[in-house]
């Protein structure tokens, strides 16, 4: 994803209908500012969904325990080869 683009509220209002196409071409967040300070973020829907999903995972203690354990196992060389795992399934 590219660097954040900044628009004033009045600029954002003028460009609102063209933002979806622009964000398809150049995926990034758009910071909408008021008096030079960011007040809103506009971003592609898939990025929003990924952020929400990540927050849900991070908020689930059991999933985070499993994730940390998996990271430790991989670091210790205890990972199962992908091809072997597929065969077992």
């Amino acid at each position: 994803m590219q660097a954040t683009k900044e628009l004033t509220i009045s600029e954002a209002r003028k460009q609102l209908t063209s933002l979806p196409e622009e964000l398809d071409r150049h995926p990034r967040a758009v910071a909408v500012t008021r008096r030079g300070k960011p007040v809103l973020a506009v971003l592609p829907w898939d990025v929003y969904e990924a952020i929400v999903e990540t927050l849900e995972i991070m908020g689930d203690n059991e999933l985070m325990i499993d994730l940390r354990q998996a990271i430790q196992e991989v670091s210790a060389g205890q990972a199962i080869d992908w091809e072997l795992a597929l065969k077992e399934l």
Side-chain angles (χ1 to χ4, degrees):
M1 201 157 94
Q2 295 179 2
T4 303
K5 174 181 178 174
E6 285 192 12
L7 294 173
T8 64
I9 286 180
S10 59
E11 291 169 333
R13 186 180 300 123
K14 291 176 190 173
Q15 296 181 29
L16 186 59
T17 58
S18 64
L19 278 177
E21 290 78 16
E22 180 180 340
L23 295 180
D24 275 344
R25 287 189 307 274
H26 307 286
R28 60 181 160 189
V30 176
V32 180
T33 62
R34 177 186 287 147
R35 296 183 195 100
K37 295 186 180 187
V39 293
L40 295 171
V42 179
L43 49 142
W45 188 256
D46 59 334
V47 173
Y48 167 77
E49 286 181 322
I51 291 169
V52 169
E53 184 176 329
T54 300
L55 291 173
E56 287 174 357
I57 291 168
M58 292 180 75
D60 185 320
N61 287 332
E62 289 183 30
L63 281 175
M64 288 306 297
I65 289 168
D66 291 343
L67 177 60
R68 286 185 189 102
Q69 181 179 350
I71 291 169
Q72 288 175 346
E73 289 172 1
V74 168
S75 296
Q78 298 171 339
I80 298 172
D81 180 75
W82 177 247
E83 297 296 325
L84 178 60
L86 281 177
K87 287 177 185 175
E88 289 182 15
L89 291 174

